[in-house]
Amino acid sequence: MLDIQYIRQNADTLQEIANKKHIQISIAELLEQHQLRSHTLQEIEQLRQQRNTLTRGISEQIRTSADTAEEMKQRVRDINVQLQKLEQQASQVLEKYDALMAIVPNTVSPDTPDGESDEDNVLLRQIGMPPVFTFPARDHIELGELHDMIDTARGVKVSGSRHYYLKGNGVLLHRAVQQLAFDLLMGKGYTPLEVPLMVRGSALHHTAFFPLGMDQTFRIGQEDHWLTGTSEVALVSYYQNEIIDLAEGPIRLAAASQSFRSEVGSAGRDVRGLYRVHQFAKVEQVVLCEANPEVSERIHQEITANAEELLQLLELPYQVVAVCVGDMSQKTYKQYDIETWMPGRQAYGETHSSSNLHDFQARRANIRYRTEAGELRFCHTLNNTAVASPRILIPLLENHQQEDGSIYIPAALRPYMNGMELLAAPPVTIN
């Protein structure tokens, strides 16, 4: 969230950002509600003061003038009626004001590209070359079925569309890429956490996944419990309503967790395979740092480099794009996406997203720190996917396939794969 005074001073700019981020909000209406809220609360306070003054004077008037005391009592009753109406009105105004404040977009960095959708994202760099196959290449589902390690048919049978089973070496690869990413972050000073997968709605509001992302989130029955789509929610919320200590530098957190997304709005898109599924695993990196744009920009480059290092260890070709304002979420100040080459799609597909939120998230979650001068300030928060699986298995299998159907295992993964250098092609069965 943003400070209301900042919103007032930058109303036109924020309305333009909201329009480009496809957020349906009127900043002018928000400011009107804020003014009405302030005026109503002021009236309520004045009436309460009048009532208190009258109440204190009644006992004195009882001793001197019963008629005056009765008049004062009637005035108190009248004020109570007015207060009841005003308090109801204030409650309605506050509810509307809070609802509008909850969807005000974050500002965007000066170097964020303009644009309406992911088609307007700007290529920053490409690392590695897509493989040129001299044979008919298989996609990840064909390879998974050939090696008996991906079974989408039974996943659909048991759980419905966008579900799957991983088997045998598919499970080993799934766990191996996560552990490689986890170990990479541990080596860079990240504190590992095992986090809740089910959180209260307040945690999702505090981290700005609600209310606009509510349709993407699975709810547990009628309770106020929701399955998270990323451990970012739990990692940031770990410090909600706290004053953190940044005296020794940024706080770096990492978690490996299951994640869940309803994928509302994606009907008919990426139905085949593992690209867009309801349940997946992520290793997430979250950093909390001082409210210094230069510091958070440096960390943004750092967390992006961590994900790039992981892809280089997996020996996969990828590209980094600067995400345009129209493809960014409400909470994001600046974002990079990393897209990995997927031969089966004949295109780069998003595998990582790296975001700098400045203090937008910390304000909602009320996470502050003390400056050297002792001033309390909201910190900056950043997040990035270190790896998400099974999506990463798509380029891993497809790029490293061999003509005979075998699959090369990158050297960095071999310690997590019992030393295997190759997933050998199954023997051909002749009927």
Side-chain angles (χ1 to χ4, degrees):
M1 91 176 20
L2 299 175
D3 178 75
I4 188 63
Q5 296 307 319
Y6 180 90
I7 295 173
R8 187 180 302 281
Q9 294 165 8
N10 297 274
D12 291 342
T13 298
L14 287 170
Q15 185 64 65
E16 182 180 358
I17 291 172
N19 295 342
K20 290 182 177 180
K21 287 190 173 186
H22 314 291
I23 297 172
Q24 300 299 317
I25 184 176
S26 167
I27 300 298
E29 183 182 5
L30 167 68
L31 294 176
E32 289 174 5
Q33 291 299 315
H34 179 259
Q35 185 174 3
L36 180 58
R37 170 180 174 269
S38 299
H39 178 70
T40 304
L41 291 177
Q42 186 177 15
E43 281 190 89
I44 289 172
E45 182 59 30
Q46 289 173 349
L47 285 173
R48 285 174 177 169
Q49 289 178 1
Q50 290 178 31
R51 184 182 62 183
N52 292 342
T53 300
L54 286 167
T55 300
R56 286 193 297 269
I58 288 173
S59 58
E60 296 177 6
Q61 291 298 327
I62 288 175
R63 293 192 296 267
T64 59
S65 172
D67 290 341
T68 302
E70 186 56 36
E71 290 177 6
M72 294 173 70
K73 288 179 181 180
Q74 184 57 48
R75 287 170 62 189
V76 168
R77 287 192 286 269
D78 292 341
I79 287 174
N80 283 335
V81 171
Q82 288 180 270
L83 276 173
Q84 186 177 12
K85 292 179 180 179
L86 278 175
E87 286 169 350
Q88 289 176 349
Q89 180 182 335
S91 177
Q92 294 170 354
V93 171
L94 181 60
E95 183 178 350
K96 190 168 186 179
Y97 171 73
D98 287 344
L100 290 169
M101 279 293 285
I103 60 174
V104 173
N106 197 359
T107 58
V108 296
S109 69
D111 56 347
T112 290
D114 198 11
E116 292 294 321
S117 70
D118 58 358
E119 294 182 358
D120 300 313
N121 294 342
V122 176
L123 177 65
L124 298 179
R125 55 186 174 274
Q126 287 184 331
I127 305 297
M129 295 295 294
V132 178
F133 297 112
T134 59
F135 55 88
R138 299 175 171 92
D139 69 16
H140 68 285
I141 291 297
E142 293 171 307
L143 291 164
E145 291 174 348
L146 177 67
H147 287 266
D148 193 27
M149 55 184 178
I150 299 174
D151 191 333
T152 55
R154 286 190 174 95
V156 171
K157 179 181 71 173
V158 172
S159 299
S161 64
R162 303 189 187 278
H163 288 277
Y164 57 92
Y165 278 91
L166 296 179
K167 300 173 61 180
N169 287 327
V171 177
L172 296 185
L173 281 171
H174 176 69
R175 295 174 67 87
V177 293
Q178 293 177 68
Q179 194 60 51
L180 174 62
F182 211 60
D183 288 349
L184 176 68
L185 295 180
M186 297 310 98
K188 296 179 182 294
Y190 281 71
T191 299
L193 279 81
E194 183 72 19
V195 301
L197 306 182
M198 183 174 65
V199 300
R200 293 190 177 102
S202 59
L204 288 150
H205 278 280
H206 291 158
T207 49
F209 285 90
F210 278 6
L212 296 180
M214 193 172 289
D215 63 348
Q216 292 293 331
T217 312
F218 287 112
R219 185 173 187 171
I220 308 299
Q222 297 304 310
E223 299 180 14
D224 182 29
H225 285 105
W226 306 75
L227 295 176
T228 57
T230 169
S231 58
E232 174 194 342
V233 177
L235 290 173
V236 173
S237 297
Y238 184 76
Y239 289 110
Q240 69 184 27
N241 298 318
E242 292 188 21
I243 298 172
I244 61 175
D245 185 2
L246 295 178
E248 296 184 5
I251 295 174
R252 293 176 170 84
L253 307 174
S257 69
Q258 290 292 312
S259 301
F260 305 87
R261 280 178 61 88
S262 66
E263 293 295 349
V264 168
S266 60
R269 294 174 53 203
D270 305 307
V271 175
R272 175 178 168 80
L274 302 178
Y275 191 83
R276 197 178 299 278
V277 293
H278 288 308
Q279 177 182 329
F280 51 97
K282 284 180 70 178
V283 177
E284 189 75 10
Q285 44 184 329
V286 162
V287 181
L288 299 89
C289 70
E290 63 182 285
N292 182 326
E294 292 182 1
V295 172
S296 59
E297 169 63 19
R298 174 176 54 78
I299 293 172
H300 193 202
Q301 302 301 324
E302 170 196 303
I303 62 177
T304 305
N306 291 342
E308 290 190 68
E309 184 176 348
L310 187 280
L311 287 173
Q312 291 166 19
L313 289 170
L314 295 179
E315 303 175 36
L316 294 173
Y318 67 89
Q319 63 183 22
V320 181
V321 300
V323 176
C324 74
V325 61
D327 193 32
M328 287 167 56
S329 70
Q330 174 201 5
K331 61 191 173 79
T332 309
Y333 171 79
K334 181 176 179 178
Q335 179 178 339
Y336 298 131
D337 278 355
I338 303 178
E339 302 169 341
T340 308
W341 179 254
M342 300 180 181
R345 299 166 68 91
Q346 279 298 292
Y348 288 93
E350 180 194 333
T351 51
H352 301 74
S353 183
S354 177
S355 301
N356 185 349
L357 279 58
H358 273 198
D359 66 0
F360 187 85
Q361 203 171 47
R363 281 181 178 275
R364 293 173 75 119
N366 191 30
I367 305 172
R368 297 174 296 169
Y369 72 100
R370 291 193 184 278
T371 66
E372 291 183 358
E375 177 188 4
L376 280 174
R377 296 193 63 185
F378 294 104
C379 65
H380 283 190
T381 63
L382 304 96
N383 65 82
N384 185 18
T385 315
V387 76
S389 184
R391 185 177 288 192
I392 197 64
L393 300 186
I394 300 174
L396 189 64
L397 299 178
E398 293 180 354
N399 282 285
H400 293 318
Q401 64 180 297
Q402 311 296 307
E403 185 171 6
D404 64 355
S406 60
I407 300 170
Y408 164 79
I409 298 176
L413 279 182
R414 293 171 192 169
Y416 308 99
M417 293 290 295
N418 300 317
M420 284 190 287
E421 299 179 6
L422 195 76
L423 297 183
V428 177
T429 302
I430 301 177
N431 294 325

